[in-house]
Amino acid sequence: MPATPYYLITSCCDQSTTQGQFLIPGGGIVADGVYIFNGISFQEGTTGMWFYSGYCYQIEYLGTDSSSHPTAFNQADISISIANSCASSDCVSCELPDIPPSYSIYNCCDASVVVNLNVNITVCSAFDGTWVYEGEGYSTEAGFVFSPGDCYNFTRIPEGVYENAPDCTDFIISTRSCTEAQADGDCPTCDLGLQYLAFKPCCGGPIIYFRGNDATAYYGVREYLGTPVDGLENICYSIQIGNVGDGDIQDLPQYNALPFPPAYIEGVTFSTISIFSIDCDDFVGSCPQCVPPCYTLYNCAGESFNTTVNFSAYVNAWVTIANYNNAQSGPWLVTENTGECKDAVNTVSFVSTTSPCTSKCYTVTGEGEVTYVNDAYNVVTGYSPLEFCSYIFPIVSPGIIVTQGANCISTDQGMQCPEICYRLTNCQTGDVIESNTQSLEIYYLTTDVVTLNGYEGCWIVEKGGSCSCGVPVTVLTAFETCQECLPVVAYQFTNCENPSLVLYSSTDHSDVVGLSVLLDCDKNCWSVTQINFAPPVESSITILAVYDNCVDCLKTYYLLEDCLGVQSDIYTFTNLSAVSGNYVKLKDCDTCWNVTRVDYLPSNATADIVSLDTSYPSCLECLVSAPCVCSRIRNDQTTARAFQYINCNGQAVTLPTLQPGETSNKVCLISWNSVALSQGYIEYYGDCIDGSCPTPVYPVRHVKPGYNTPVCDAEKWDKITCKSSEVLYKMVLKSRYGISNCCDAPDDKWLIKKELIDLAALVDTNYTCAISTCGCTTDTCGCGCSSTPKTCNSN
């Protein structure tokens, strides 16, 4: 059997059998991935694995070999799932359907038409055999008809999703064959007397069966000359005739499954050797020489040769041989060669069986075929790049590089390469994942960059790391570079006034996404959005200004500059077109502003609404309209300064130099310049009158200082009053809040002193008192009589 591709198929859903090795007919090699099965549900008979319509299955290519593997679905019945994942939304939910039993059915009189149908047998005792239909008539959507009184052969097959047959209650069910039911008179009589042809190769091998159309024309020993089809070769065959039901072909389904023989044309498709005998041994000299079996032997170094020496007893075994290159050598693996036996070496001979070569890990890169011996001693042909265990050095196509690794390790799954740790680095963030998923080798050898199930971004595949905490990963897609893997990020600029005008750029403009910009190329406003597709055409983008939205971008802006250079500039979107180029004053502000229209608002500026008061043709005319005030300045700097101001005629004037701390004379002015405002201490004394500062007005005292301190000076009176007030405050704190001093102080004296000076203040110091003498008859001053003269201030 020629080597064919085979695969490991794993169900994404949990079921009784979830995994197996299968063939997938229908074309070339199926790439690794997750696929949806779109065919009719069925159960594969050899493995018992179910294939349900709409369910997803993981397919992994294992290589090619000549072993017998069961067939799964055809390539035409599968399609790649979204995101190449078992979690794809287009995979049917993992809930097994409730499928009625399935049967293969044909009419006993027309076995050429066989259908698979689901049959409800829940209320019947159903058996394989002949069922007599007693219903009123039934037709499937595909056109298979159940007619009343007809007999049908029912054979149970693995569960699948098919059209429904009539309910089992519409049949008389028996285990008889169609022939037996006909003999019993329960079914219509049919003609089952068909013939078949049996082609037995004269060189040995399996018998090949055909339908017996014009069977007598083929009987005998004949050489086949035509194109090899249906297993026929250009050798002699002993051709016999059999009747359906009497020999190897037992019933109509078997007969109808047979191919038609090649058309008999003497000298073109067949050559007659004998029409009377069917014994090949009588015609060995008249038939082409039979080709003896061929064997191919492989040694550890990957050398091989063909031989027709009989090694049939040692196929897939390791042997030592003699007389190969005039020496004894081994081990050699013996394989059966079903192809061309080119350059056969027939001098060798068997010596003994021996131990196999050492299985080693190999990595191959490049493009082409790779032949090696797997852990089942099968010769496998795969396609580079690959990593695998082989008992021989790989035989490769030109240009392929082979790297030999360590000895392979025997595991429950066979020989495996030693575990390698892989380092996955995120293309954008630099994050690192360590993984021991060995299937990453294929991406390390080829594409280098992958996307992973459950992880954001693109990842560079490298070898390295310890994998002490390695995590398993599943590759979704592969790319050669990070740039190819990363999503496309570009930017679309839509004209604010005409949305049909669009510009594109791949340059990073992420800082203005969602905003509006003024472009240098046309001085128009454009809104900015991010897109995820490659721009159809690139534009050169230069941004002059950025705005929150199109409305702000489309506004006309004006710059207001203080003509004296004192105040900071102002931007406004108030319509000042009528005074552009003039000098204006704003309401409640004496500053004179020069108005200029600007193309755009600088990125670090904000615009406000302003209220226009008066417009002037020049800065001077605007300035002199301001009040003329009296002011002076003090130099608060550490060095001498000569400050400037604008006088009432709008002229710049420089004061004499002031030393640190020195104050200038008063002057009449409109404004100090910015240096004076920032470095000096300025005082104002009202509006000037006729160009001169107003005369100062000094306050008049209405109370004579010291009016209540008759017996002491003012300083002592202040001290006594303050001390006594503190004492009274502390008394309130203690009485109201319970707060007292830690150490008591002699506070009473201050209260007494306070009472004395308050009593003394009651005496009118301006009153003239007469002096009384001792012996006066009247006490004029109320001082009483005494030998000592008294005054009104005496104590």
Side-chain angles (χ1 to χ4, degrees), residues 36-41 52-55 73 76-80 90:
I36 306 166
F37 173 49
N38 301 310
I40 297 175
S41 300
Y52 292 104
S53 180
Y55 283 47
F73 31 62
D77 291 333
I78 58 176
S79 60
I80 194 72
D90 54 345

Side-chain angles (χ1 to χ4, degrees), residues 278-299:
I278 57 172
D279 188 350
C280 288
D281 293 338
D282 294 340
F283 308 101
V284 172
S286 301
C287 288
Q289 183 177 359
C290 296
V291 179
C294 183
Y295 303 92
T296 303
L297 279 66
Y298 297 88
N299 68 2

Side-chain angles (χ1 to χ4, degrees), residues 165-177:
D167 195 84
C168 67
T169 57
D170 290 340
F171 295 89
I172 296 175
I173 300 173
S174 71
T175 60
R176 297 172 296 173
S177 68

Side-chain angles (χ1 to χ4, degrees), residues 316-456:
N316 285 349
W318 297 86
V319 299
T320 302
I321 58 175
N323 299 324
Y324 180 72
N325 291 334
N326 300 317
Q328 179 173 312
S329 61
W332 293 85
L333 174 66
V334 180
T335 65
E336 186 175 3
N337 183 348
T338 58
E340 182 181 3
C341 195
K342 186 177 181 180
D343 300 328
V345 179
N346 296 323
T347 59
V348 298
S349 60
F350 170 79
V351 177
S352 65
T353 58
T354 186
S355 300
C357 303
T358 301
S359 179
K360 297 182 180 294
C361 184
Y362 295 93
T363 301
V364 292
T365 55
E367 295 184 358
E369 289 190 349
V370 180
T371 301
Y372 62 95
V373 174
N374 66 12
D375 54 0
Y377 301 158
N378 294 321
V379 178
V380 179
T381 298
Y383 296 89
S384 177
L386 283 174
E387 182 186 65
F388 52 86
C389 289
S390 177
Y391 284 93
I392 67 170
F393 194 88
I395 303 170
V396 299
S397 301
I400 291 181
I401 300 174
V402 180
T403 303
Q404 178 177 306
N407 293 346
C408 289
I409 302 170
S410 179
T411 68
D412 294 340
Q413 288 76 38
M415 303 301 291
Q416 301 286 334
C417 288
E419 186 174 275
I420 299 173
C421 185
Y422 294 90
R423 180 184 177 90
L424 301 164
T425 305
N426 190 285
C427 289
Q428 291 179 299
T429 65
D431 293 341
V432 174
I433 300 173
E434 290 188 349
S435 175
N436 50 15
T437 300
Q438 298 304 294
S439 60
L440 289 170
E441 179 69 15
I442 186 68
Y443 305 103
Y444 169 74
L445 295 174
T446 55
T447 55
D448 293 338
V449 179
V450 298
T451 61
L452 304 175
N453 185 27
Y455 294 89
E456 295 291 336

